[in-house]
Amino acid sequence: MGMKTHPQYFLSKPRRSSMVGMTIGIDLGDIWSHYCTLNEDGEVVDRGRFRTNPSGVDKRFRDLDPARVAMETGTHSIWVSEQIRELGHEVIVANVRELRAISHSDRKSDKVDAEKIARYARLDPEILRPISHRTVAQQETLTLIRARDVLVRLRTGAVNSVRGLAKPCGYRLPASSTLTFAKRCLEALPPGLAQALGPLLEQIAEMTVKIKQYDRAVKQLTETAYPETQALIKVYGVGHLTALTYVLTLGNKQRFQRSRDVGCYLGLRPRRSQSGDSDPQLGITKAGNGTCASCWWSAPTMSSGHTVKTRPCEDGVSVWVPAAEAMQEDEPS
């Protein structure tokens, strides 16, 4: 009886992704980063660490032959991946959310993690669910937006603290926008509280000035460095800040094959947990950028609340005015 032959598609074929030269896995750290180098046969040929700074990365990777370098996403992965790519290496940045075998391992260490990343990258890079980072220049601009957000949060906390400190003394501060809060409160406070809360109110006024400077910088960037934001600004409720945050969050738009992929990237895709006949309907993943999400959720609020204030006319009849216009009228000249 002759040997049974198997169809050609059942035969094992070597993966193209495994036919690579050196593969290097990096476990990025804040001060030191550990690496593990595998040869074509998957054998460990080198281990070590290097300083997590531009000079340390350059010293370690400049004189190497072109290799496949893999690392996890993290604080330093943006500039490290860009620098290594400029040195002529293939760079893979793994999605850390998909690597539970590393992050939830019971034998986790920097050396072990670096070797695991290298072996995954050598076997099949798709296992790592590689992501595409924004450029360092885009990250610097996004840092400006996040710094503004920090200042806004600090001002909100200071305003709430001033209101709370005044109530036990029997004073309720007048309702006011944050733009004019410091000035109105100083006029309403008695001498004793003015002495206690005056420095806080001065800090609130200074933070308001700094936030306006950030706003002017954002507007200038949308008009010069990122002209693609002008199409978004035409949508009612979308301002310079929201448009710029959206453009910077997406980074290189060419990496999205379909427009629907953008919604998934921003965390608007429903979660799924299908098993057998069970396929429940779940909420969205909310896996996108938090700063971008907060801007986009505030845009509909601004759009729906554009007639929330009234202004008396000369004949005594009140008319509706946009909230933004009313806020500008509240600003001190």
Side-chain angles (χ1 to χ4, degrees):
M1 184 176 181
M3 182 179 296
K4 184 177 180 180
T5 60
H6 295 276
Q8 186 68 21
Y9 51 81
F10 283 140
L11 298 180
S12 176
K13 294 182 180 180
R15 292 177 178 267
R16 179 180 300 180
S17 58
S18 64
M19 304 301 291
V20 297
M22 286 196 307
T23 306
I24 304 174
I26 302 176
D27 184 72
L28 293 173
D30 191 49
I31 300 177
W32 291 96
S33 295
H34 290 74
Y35 67 89
C36 176
T37 305
L38 306 178
N39 61 13
E40 296 181 1
D41 299 324
E43 300 174 344
V44 177
V45 295
D46 189 20
R47 295 183 189 269
R49 64 177 189 171
F50 57 89
R51 283 279 185 179
T52 311
N53 54 41
S55 60
V57 174
D58 184 81
K59 181 179 179 181
R60 179 68 192 88
F61 292 94
R62 175 169 292 278
D63 297 330
L64 291 179
D65 294 332
R68 173 178 293 175
V69 182
M71 67 191 73
E72 292 179 312
T73 55
T75 303
H76 301 282
S77 59
I78 294 179
W79 68 266
V80 171
S81 61
E82 184 171 307
Q83 183 175 353
I84 294 177
R85 188 176 291 109
E86 291 175 352
L87 294 175
H89 302 286
E90 176 191 357
V91 180
I92 301 172
V93 182
N95 188 346
V96 68
R97 294 169 60 92
E98 303 292 336
L99 297 180
R100 298 178 64 89
I102 295 178
S103 59
H104 290 68
S105 174
D106 57 0
R107 55 190 295 267
K108 180 177 174 59
S109 70
D110 295 337
K111 294 182 179 179
V112 173
D113 291 352
E115 182 176 347
K116 283 185 177 180
I117 295 173
R119 294 196 179 280
Y120 284 145
R122 175 181 175 274
L123 177 63
D124 186 0
E126 292 301 320
I127 297 177
L128 300 176
R129 296 293 296 274
I131 67 168
S132 176
H133 269 314
R134 64 182 64 91
T135 64
V136 174
Q138 292 173 336
Q139 183 65 28
E140 291 175 351
T141 305
L142 190 60
T143 301
L144 182 145
I145 295 176
R146 290 175 174 171
R148 178 195 177 277
D149 182 64
V150 171
L151 206 55
V152 170
R153 293 176 186 272
L154 289 174
R155 183 180 64 175
T156 301
V159 169
N160 293 336
S161 297
V162 170
R163 291 188 180 277
L165 291 171
K167 288 181 180 179
C169 300
Y171 292 93
R172 183 179 295 274
L173 298 179
S176 172
S177 68
T178 52
L179 298 175
T180 59
F181 178 79
K183 180 181 178 180
R184 290 189 176 182
C185 289
L186 282 174
E187 296 173 352
L189 288 175
L193 280 180
Q195 182 181 3
L197 300 179
L200 270 177
L201 294 173
E202 292 176 1
Q203 291 297 319
I204 292 173
E206 291 181 6
M207 284 189 285
T208 300
V209 173
K210 296 297 183 182
I211 292 172
K212 288 184 178 179
Q213 293 176 358
Y214 276 123
D215 291 338
R216 287 193 291 268
V218 168
K219 182 178 180 181
Q220 183 179 4
L221 286 170
T222 58
E223 295 173 350
T224 57
Y226 300 93
E228 59 268 36
T229 58
Q230 299 303 311
L232 298 173
I233 295 173
K234 294 179 181 179
V235 179
Y236 191 85
V238 178
H240 298 278
L241 180 65
T242 301
L244 184 59
T245 304
Y246 178 77
V247 169
L248 293 174
T249 301
L250 297 187
N252 182 14
K253 62 183 180 181
Q254 302 299 331
R255 60 195 178 101
F256 297 102
Q257 297 181 358
R258 302 175 304 169
S259 60
R260 295 175 62 90
D261 295 338
V262 177
C264 299
Y265 179 75
L266 296 176
L268 302 179
R269 174 185 61 82
R271 293 184 292 114
R272 191 176 185 188
S273 180
Q274 185 270 334
S275 178
D277 296 333
S278 175
D279 192 4
Q281 183 176 357
L282 303 175
I284 60 176
T285 63
K286 298 183 181 180
N289 182 278
T291 304
C292 185
S294 62
C295 287
W296 275 107
W297 285 120
S298 63
T301 303
M302 292 294 296
S303 178
S304 61
H306 66 283
T307 56
V308 295
K309 292 193 176 184
T310 59
R311 179 177 60 195
C313 295
E314 296 179 355
D315 56 0
V317 179
S318 297
V319 296
W320 296 103
V321 296
E325 180 180 338
M327 290 180 63
Q328 291 177 359
E329 293 176 354
D330 291 339
E331 288 190 48
S333 56

